[in-house]
Amino acid sequence: MTGPGGGESPRVVIARDVLRAGVRRVADEIAAAHPDGVLLIAVLKGSVPFTADLIRSLTVPVEVDFLAISAYAPDSGRVRIVKDLDADIYGRAVVLVEDIVDTGLTLAYVRGELERRAPASLEVCTLLDRAPRRILPTPLRYVGFEIGDEFVLGYGLDFEERYRHLDHVVAGDVHALRSDPDVYAAHFFAG
Ligand code: PRP
């Protein structure tokens, strides 16, 4: 489909208003479970927009910290921490925030690392649960939206660092993106 700027238009999967309502619902669920407050740990980079909106929707005391991880090799599921937490999570109520859980391999690694630090509780919150791609089943306490096995962009999710800025989630044609990562640029940028 051709967009207003003449470029290709990706299909909207989660519209802005639906996304906002989903974030508020998740924030309410977290607040209800943690009336005394919570420490959110966001896994960079994709979870940044979700985390930013989540903390502004929470009605309980909240702290936020960040973790950056890097894959050793594509699809190996082996990752390492490249930016560790500032906070000591011992004895804390912690919610790990992800933008998307696919295979579950990243989450399994991060969860293991954090559990060794003995938080009082460790729950997982993900904006998107792409369960058809799961390899390691893993408990997800808070889920914004379940999606099918399609390639998604926006609201933190990228293709080669592009499209993270969108305020909604779209489905991208991965073949078109591989041949031209800017295939949707004209749709999202004026001029
Ligand atoms: C994404 C996402 C998770 C991971 C999920 O990160 O934020 O960390 O992939 O995949 P998995 O369940 O198959 O392990 P990505 O590697 O795209 O990094 P980014 O957040 O910096 O874009």
Side-chain angles (χ1 to χ4, degrees):
M1 186 189 297
T2 302
E8 291 297 308
S9 308
R11 178 172 54 82
V12 175
V13 175
I14 308 173
R16 183 180 60 178
D17 290 349
V18 177
L19 199 49
R20 281 183 179 164
V23 173
R24 280 197 297 269
R25 173 180 52 77
V26 168
D28 288 346
E29 291 173 9
I30 293 173
H34 297 284
D36 297 329
V38 68
L39 169 63
L40 298 188
I41 294 179
V43 182
L44 297 169
K45 302 174 187 172
S47 63
V48 167
F50 179 39
T51 303
D53 286 341
L54 206 49
I55 62 175
R56 287 178 289 189
S57 295
L58 276 170
T59 53
V60 294
V62 58
E63 291 180 34
V64 65
D65 204 348
F66 297 92
L67 196 62
I69 56 176
S70 172
Y72 279 110
D75 303 323
S76 72
R78 296 174 59 218
V79 295
R80 65 192 166 92
I81 291 175
V82 294
K83 186 260 174 230
D84 209 334
L85 301 172
D86 294 328
D88 178 0
I89 66 170
Y90 176 81
R92 304 286 306 271
V94 172
V95 174
L96 186 60
V97 181
E98 272 285 18
D99 53 339
I100 190 165
V101 178
D102 274 333
T103 63
L105 296 172
T106 304
L107 185 55
Y109 171 80
V110 173
R111 189 199 290 269
E113 283 293 311
L114 297 183
E115 277 174 349
R116 287 198 292 110
R117 304 178 191 190
S121 62
L122 178 59
E123 300 171 326
V124 177
C125 172
T126 186
L127 177 72
L128 305 178
D129 176 9
R130 190 156 52 191
R133 294 196 186 176
R134 196 76 81 252
I135 292 173
L136 266 184
T138 185
L140 304 175
R141 176 69 176 80
Y142 312 99
V143 175
F145 303 90
E146 294 174 2
I147 61 169
D149 190 5
E150 57 189 345
F151 188 77
V152 284
L153 297 164
Y155 201 65
L157 294 143
D158 73 310
F159 182 83
E160 294 184 358
E161 301 299 328
R162 295 158 172 86
Y163 310 108
R164 292 192 198 272
H165 67 291
L166 306 182
D167 62 4
H168 59 292
V169 175
V170 300
D173 178 340
V174 76
H175 301 293
L177 284 161
R178 281 188 184 132
S179 56
D180 177 12
D182 292 314
V183 64
Y184 302 127
H187 183 73
F188 296 117
F189 298 106

